[in-house]
């Protein structure tokens, strides 16, 4: 690394007893920041989602540090041990397998524990699959909601999608290859096929693929080539038009109703949604029945 570049990172203050949340590349190992390399080389230990994956990544940068496993199955226990080490004055970094920790990845509970202990957390920005895709989306994504992974079960997934149907913001999802086709089909059914869909597959990697189409065309595009169903996916779907429907149930009423239907009997959900939003109770009841039967 050029010493002049590294000096840009060295000039900042890096307090002891602090957790450094460090973003790592999505796939292309060149997508690492100078400051991330400096911090990973400076800290006393690196907590990580998978020690094997992280060891291989760090080896490419010539970084050799003690690794501590802190993943979704042991994050609470690992946080307790890491907080004690931070209280002792150590600097500890946390990295996930790829991208920014805590964004549909482990790390959030560790941050909670460190903050609850009155210790410092310093974010070190870098790669994010969400922002990477949206930077290639264009002007139709003015605002967005990051949803992450939808439920794997069909009924729960349909209810989650219905809760988003009235939002005028674009929605961004993560999805695994074995569920990508059924998820895109469910989005088209629940949101309407006329919406715009941007599919990001294997972002920053050798076989990166970014494709925009109507939501109704997404399944056909995926099925046209088996390779298009491989890898990790990020999906962006355009939001709803900001207008009320013919039955007087506007976007906000649809959103509230979908949330209530997931927790309450149909009649109660419609009655409460009407009280909250002022939309017609009968129309809400008809929509609630449709959601229950989805």
């Amino acid at each position: 690394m050029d010493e002049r570049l590294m000096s840009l990172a060295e000039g900042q203050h890096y307090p002891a007893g602090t957790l450094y949340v460090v973003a790592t590349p999505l796939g292309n190992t060149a997508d690492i920041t100078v400051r991330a390399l400096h911090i990973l080389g400076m800290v006393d230990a690196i907590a990580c989602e998978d020690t094997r994956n992280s060891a291989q990544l760090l080896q490419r940068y010539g970084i050799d540090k003690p690794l501590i496993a802190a993943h979704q199955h042991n994050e609470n226990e690992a946080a307790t041990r890491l907080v004690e080490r931070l209280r002792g004055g150590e600097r500890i970094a946390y990295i996930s397998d790829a991208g920014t920790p805590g964004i549909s990845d482990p790390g959030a509970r560790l941050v909670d524990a460190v903050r609850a202990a009155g210790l410092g957390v310093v974010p070190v920005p870098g790669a994010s699959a969400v922002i990477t895709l949206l930077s290639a989306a264009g002007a139709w994504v003015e605002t967005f909601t990051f949803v992450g992974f939808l439920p794997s079960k069909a009924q729960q997934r349909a209810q989650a999608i219905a809760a988003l149907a009235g939002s005028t913001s674009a929605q961004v999802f993560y999805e695994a290859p074995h569920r990508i086709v059924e998820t895109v089909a469910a989005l088209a059914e629940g949101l309407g096929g006329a919406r715009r869909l941007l599919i990001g597959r294997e972002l920053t990697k050798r076989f990166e693929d970014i494709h925009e189409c109507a939501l109704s065309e997404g399944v056909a595009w995926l099925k046209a080539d088996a390779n298009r169903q491989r890898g990790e996916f990020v999906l962006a779907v355009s939001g709803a038009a900001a207008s009320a429907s013919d039955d007087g149930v506007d976007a906000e009423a649809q959103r509230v109703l979908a949330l209530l239907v997931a927790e309450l009997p149909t009649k109660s959900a419609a009655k409460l949604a009407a009280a909250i939003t002022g939309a017609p109770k009968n129309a809400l009841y008809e929509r609630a029945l449709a959601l229950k039967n989805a």
Side-chain angles (χ1 to χ4, degrees):
M1 176 68 67
D2 190 309
E3 291 183 2
R4 291 172 298 177
L5 286 176
M6 193 58 76
S7 68
L8 298 175
E10 293 170 351
Q12 186 167 335
H13 176 56
Y14 298 100
T18 297
L19 176 71
Y20 294 85
V21 182
V22 181
T24 54
L26 302 175
N28 191 319
T29 53
D31 293 337
I32 187 80
T33 69
V34 172
R35 193 157 72 102
L37 290 174
H38 174 69
I39 289 172
L40 292 173
M42 172 197 69
V43 294
D44 298 288
I46 299 173
C48 51
E49 182 179 359
D50 188 312
T51 55
R52 294 165 298 180
N53 290 342
S54 295
Q56 293 176 5
L57 178 68
L58 295 168
Q59 185 179 23
R60 294 191 177 190
Y61 304 128
I63 295 172
D64 184 15
K65 292 287 178 176
L67 299 181
I68 305 163
H71 45 74
Q72 62 178 340
H73 302 297
N74 79 334
E75 193 170 355
N76 290 332
E77 295 81 1
T80 300
R81 297 194 300 272
L82 291 170
V83 164
E84 289 305 309
R85 294 183 65 161
L86 292 170
R87 282 178 172 152
E90 292 189 34
R91 297 179 180 88
I92 296 176
Y94 182 77
I95 59 176
S96 57
D97 284 348
T100 301
I103 310 301
S104 285
D105 268 343
R109 285 182 287 176
L110 174 57
V111 168
D112 283 343
V114 172
R115 288 200 183 280
L119 299 165
V121 178
V122 171
V124 184
S128 164
V130 174
I131 302 304
T132 298
L133 181 68
L134 292 182
S135 68
W140 60 272
V141 181
E142 293 184 358
T143 61
F144 70 92
T145 299
F146 174 60
V147 181
F149 288 95
L150 286 165
S152 58
K153 294 184 178 180
Q155 184 173 1
Q156 294 175 351
R157 182 173 56 226
Q159 290 174 344
I161 292 171
L164 300 169
S167 173
T168 56
S169 296
Q171 286 102 42
V172 184
F173 308 89
Y174 283 162
E175 194 48 275
H178 64 280
R179 286 200 303 265
I180 186 62
V181 171
E182 62 186 76
T183 291
V184 171
L187 287 168
E189 182 177 353
L191 301 178
R195 296 201 189 191
R196 297 172 78 164
L197 168 66
L198 186 65
I199 301 173
R201 185 181 71 86
E202 292 289 85
L203 293 177
T204 79
K205 300 176 185 178
R206 181 180 179 184
F207 297 108
E208 175 184 85
D209 213 346
I210 299 177
H211 178 75
E212 183 177 334
C213 61
L215 187 50
S216 61
E217 300 168 352
V219 169
W221 183 82
L222 290 164
K223 288 184 174 181
D225 184 343
N227 289 322
R228 294 175 182 173
Q229 298 172 44
R230 297 176 178 173
E232 300 300 320
F233 290 86
V234 189
L235 308 172
V237 179
S238 59
S243 60
S245 61
D246 293 338
D247 60 4
V249 180
D250 63 15
E252 178 62 12
Q254 293 177 51
R255 186 186 71 83
V256 170
L257 178 64
L259 293 172
L260 293 173
V261 163
E263 303 294 335
L264 298 172
T266 305
K267 187 174 181 180
S268 299
K271 182 178 179 180
L272 186 54
I276 293 172
T277 66
K281 184 170 65 174
N282 290 341
L284 287 168
Y285 180 70
E286 292 299 322
R287 286 176 175 261
L289 285 174
L291 287 174
K292 283 288 188 182
N293 294 326

